[in-house]
Structure formats: structure tokens, C-alpha cells
Amino acid sequence: MTFSRRDFVKTSVLGAVAGGVAGGAISSLAQPSQQGHASENDSAKRPIIICANNGHAYVEAAYAFLKSGGDTLEAGVRVVKGPEDDPKDDSVGLGGLPNEEGVVELDSCCMHGPTRRAGSVGGVRNIKNVSMVAKAVMEHTGHVMLVGEGAERFAVDMGFPRENLLTDRSRKIWMLWKEFNSDRDWWGPGIADPHWQAPAPGSRPRADLLRDRIDQLKHRASDLGIEHEFLLSAVRRVLFPPTGTIHCSVLNEKGEMSGITTTSGLAFKLPGRCGDSPIIGAGCYTDQDVGSAGATGSGEENIKVAGAHTIVENMRHGMSPQEAGTDALKRIVRNYNGDMNKLRFMDIIYYVLRKDGAYAGVSLWEGYSSGNPHKFTVHDGSLRSEVATPLLKGFSQDWPPFPTIPEELKKDSVYLK
Ligand code: GLY
């Protein structure tokens, strides 16, 4: 699909009018960066690692491993395994937020450029390092994807220990969600249903109701024993269930590339729900002749545009990393005819790495809440976080919809740590 900037502005403005834009914060396109990320202009460097910001603490060691001749996929595993092992990161692995029945279900996929192989697992219970299980599927089976009980049994056969992935804190947040949602759940209609209706923006009674709910939730969270400093984080997770994930793309000096993505998926999802993270071509795609890309955010939306594959193919046809990622974001906007009243309930960050070392991080919105712009991590000899370039100006409100996000919740960071 070709989609000129002029067409896009027209579509988004029409969509905004048709949908009745909810607030000033989401009324216009973000100004695209004139320069792109530094490496699109400077001579790109190799080796390079790019990943979601929750991998930041693990990139230095993985980069040293890569520099010493280590395999690109193994370097990626070393980044994403950190958050998988960390019980305080509630977006992946141990301590990930559970499904609606209180069971942690994990998804992951990987692609190994040098051997042009792929592996994937979906809906895996009781095994925390699903990134390594996806790699094991790639290396030790004739398949690409295993799901559910079969994937768990394969992991145990491969020597991965079964363990309880539900930490006490994640269990308490799930309890809080269950009590709060005793009269609502993840059953349809979903946001893509033609009959779905956005809540009336800014209506006072609902906003007042929400204020009351937040106060009740804070008290209940305290009663459940959630630590004082995490009360607001817990409330935010109940009101706006996150889709935290980690993706990592890696390029070495020889031009070899790999990519890997791992997640506990959408918090409080229906059992068996898989998002984009285990889908080769959506959550991750690598072709070392061209580049590698991956995603974090609203998995359902990313599946529908085959985001990572779309981005790599865009680069194959000459787009820069930033143009390639932005085009995939525009396809998501197009799927909703630019209706901001729906788009504000979703968000995506794409991590894009070209074979020459040029890279970009692009996002649908500026961040989940004001003061917390979407960031990603890069290491090309120096380790740093950079702000992703947003397509739309403003901040998303995660599903399920509420008319406003109270100021105190806006200040909360995305992760509990
Ligand atoms: N992107 C993670 C998910 O939606 O499951």
C-alpha cells in the first residue's frame, strides 16, 4: 500500500471529525523528526543492538559478547533473558501479569539470520525463559511454532525447569483486577467491532465515577498487601491493562542479524490469547539481506498489519528505517479510518534495524502518559536510550476505555520497577 503524507493527513483529519476527537492532546499529527535518528544521517556503526527500554540493563554485557564474536541470536537472548528472569518486571517471564484466570501465559519468537531459521512458542505456562524455548524449537525440531501444553512439555524435555511464574505482587494485582472487574471482562465487542462505541469523552459523571473507583482501588490494593510505593502502579494496571513486551534486534560486524521478542502478553487476557509476539512477521522479522524489526504494544493491531515483516519489506524497497516503521503505523491508522476515538486506545512501538546499522524507534503515540515518552535502547559502542519518533501527537489511553486519565496515574511509569 502506498500512502502519501497528504493522504494520511486527510484521512486522519476526516477520521478525527467523524469520530469526534476526544481531547486536544490527540488532535494532531506529531511533527515528524526532520533528521531521523542520528544513525540515519551519520555513518552507521556495526555491531549494534537495539531493544525495548526494559532490556537496557542487560545490553552492555550482550554487546561485549557480540564484540567477542558471539552469535547474534545468542546476544539477543542475553538481553531479553534479563527481564524474563526479573520478578519485578511484570511484562515478561517470571512475574508477568497473568491471564483472567490468574495463570501466566508467555509468548516468544525469534529469527536467526545466518541460518535463515525461525522458532516460536505461544501460550506457554510454567516456563519462564520462553525466548530460549523458541530458540530451542528452532534448533531442535523440524517445526517453527509450538503452543500451549505441547510447548511446555517440549521445554521440560529440553531441560527447562517448571516453576510457578505468578509472583505474590502479580497475584495481588490480578486479585485487584478481578474484584474491580466482577461486572466486566475481555469478552466482546472488541474495539475493532463495527458496533463498538467509544465512551462519551469528558463526561463528568463517568469521570467522577472513575475518581471514586481509583480511591476504592487504592484502598483495596492496600488491604491486599500491595506495597505502598506500588499502589498507583497496581491501580494503573487494573484500569489500563498493559501489553509490556521486550524485543531485541542485533547486527554484528560481519553483517549477520537476528531478532527476538518475548512477552507475558496483554494483562488479564482470555486464556489462550496470543498477541503479536509469537507471530513471525508481526512481533519479529529478520532477513539479514535487508534488516530486522520487532514490536511492543497492542498485539492485535500489529498482527493485522504484519508489522515487522511490513517494515523489513519496506526497507527492501528503499525506505529508511524510520520511513519503513512509520508506514506500518499508518496502516494501523488506516485500519480505523483515522478515527482517533479508537486509535487512542492502542499503541505500538517498532524497533527497526537495517543491515548497514541504520536504525529507528517509532511509535503510534508519544507515550502512554505525559512526561513518559516512549524510549528504546541502542548500543553501537555507546549505550544510550533514545526517544522514539511518534506518528501522532499526544498520549494513548490503554484499553479498556475511560473518559480521562487522572493526573496522578499519568505520572506513573510503565513498569513497576
Ligand atoms: N505485544 C504484546 C502483546 O500484545 O501480547
Side-chain angles (χ1 to χ4, degrees):
M1 182 177 81
T2 55
F3 207 143
S4 74
R5 183 172 158 75
R6 201 170 147 213
D7 288 342
F8 175 66
V9 171
K10 201 167 97 188
T11 303
S12 67
V13 170
L14 285 174
V17 170
V21 169
I26 54 170
S27 61
S28 59
L29 283 170
Q31 287 303 312
S33 159
Q34 298 303 307
Q35 301 298 320
H37 291 288
S39 69
E40 294 203 32
N41 305 297
D42 303 336
S43 55
K45 293 181 186 160
R46 304 198 306 204
I48 177 168
I49 296 176
I50 174 172
C51 70
N53 226 24
N54 50 336
H56 192 95
Y58 311 98
V59 173
E60 193 72 67
Y63 191 81
F65 170 78
L66 192 64
K67 284 281 277 185
S68 69
D71 176 68
T72 47
L73 182 55
E74 180 55 32
V77 168
R78 288 176 185 222
V79 173
V80 304
K81 183 177 182 298
E84 281 182 341
D85 287 341
D86 182 354
K88 290 189 181 143
D89 187 322
D90 63 3
S91 70
V92 293
L94 177 65
L97 289 170
N99 66 20
E100 69 171 11
E101 293 176 351
V103 180
V104 180
E105 288 183 336
L106 306 177
D107 307 325
S108 179
C109 77
C110 64
M111 292 193 82
H112 187 240
T115 56
R116 300 187 186 277
R117 289 183 297 171
S120 163
V121 287
V124 180
R125 302 178 172 195
N126 304 314
I127 311 285
K128 74 177 172 193
N129 294 124
V130 281
S131 60
M132 296 167 73
V133 183
K135 185 167 178 272
V137 170
M138 182 188 87
E139 289 172 339
H140 297 283
T141 78
H143 305 311
V144 167
M145 187 172 199
L146 294 178
V147 300
E149 192 190 328
E152 181 183 338
R153 284 183 6 216
F154 165 77
V156 171
D157 288 347
M158 293 302 301
F160 291 88
R162 272 198 178 98
E163 56 194 300
N164 176 18
L165 303 182
L166 190 65
T167 57
D168 205 39
R169 186 192 287 159
S170 287
R171 183 186 61 76
K172 287 171 180 168
I173 295 173
W174 168 70
M175 286 288 296
L176 191 64
W177 176 82
K178 240 181 125 53
E179 292 185 11
F180 177 70
N181 287 286
S182 52
D183 62 345
R184 73 193 86 186
D185 53 37
W186 286 104
W187 296 98
I191 200 164
D193 187 302
H195 304 297
W196 182 87
Q197 290 203 324
S203 76
R204 279 300 295 161
R206 284 195 64 142
D208 287 350
L209 200 59
L210 179 58
R211 177 80 267 148
D212 291 347
R213 282 182 181 151
I214 289 166
D215 288 342
Q216 287 163 9
L217 276 167
K218 272 163 56 181
H219 284 123
R220 189 66 198 122
S222 182
D223 289 348
L224 283 168
I226 294 173
E227 306 99 299
H228 182 75
E229 63 269 35
F230 296 125
L231 285 183
L232 274 179
S233 298
V235 170
R236 192 174 206 288
R237 277 153 181 70
V238 168
L239 295 177
F240 310 107
T243 49
T245 298
I246 178 164
H247 167 79
C248 183
S249 280
V250 181
L251 168 68
N252 70 11
E253 271 158 0
K254 290 188 277 184
E256 294 170 340
M257 301 189 84
S258 291
I260 188 159
T261 302
T262 180
T263 191
S264 52
L266 175 67
F268 322 125
K269 60 197 171 185
L270 302 189
R273 176 265 187 191
C274 283
D276 56 332
S277 301
I279 310 292
I280 304 285
C284 178
Y285 192 77
T286 304
D287 178 345
Q288 69 176 26
D289 294 345
V290 179
S292 180
T296 60
S298 309
E300 279 75 4
E301 307 313 326
N302 190 35
I303 290 172
K304 288 186 283 185
V305 298
H309 183 262
T310 292
I311 290 167
V312 172
E313 292 309 302
N314 282 343
M315 291 194 288
R316 193 191 305 279
H317 294 116
M319 287 188 195
S320 71
Q322 186 163 316
E323 289 168 340
T326 302
D327 173 74
L329 294 170
K330 288 177 182 176
R331 294 177 193 220
I332 293 173
V333 172
R334 178 67 187 83
N335 279 346
Y336 289 96
N337 296 318
D339 183 344
M340 299 296 165
N341 245 344
K342 290 192 170 184
L343 291 165
R344 69 193 172 116
F345 299 119
M346 58 192 73
D347 209 347
I348 289 269
I349 309 173
Y350 287 124
Y351 311 84
V352 190
L353 182 57
R354 203 169 57 188
K355 68 174 182 178
D356 62 353
Y359 65 90
V362 297
S363 56
L364 186 60
W365 294 100
E366 290 176 76
Y368 294 117
S369 57
S370 59
N372 289 309
H374 289 312
K375 289 185 179 166
F376 63 101
T377 291
V378 183
H379 199 328
D380 58 4
S382 75
L383 175 64
R384 59 192 180 274
S385 285
E386 294 190 17
V387 173
T389 303
L391 176 66
L392 302 174
K393 187 170 168 49
F395 299 88
S396 60
Q397 296 182 20
D398 301 5
W399 180 270
F402 283 99
T404 58
I405 298 179
E407 285 304 315
E408 61 180 338
L409 286 188
K410 285 182 183 170
K411 292 195 193 85
D412 179 41
S413 65
V414 174
Y415 297 104
L416 275 174
K417 316 200 291 176

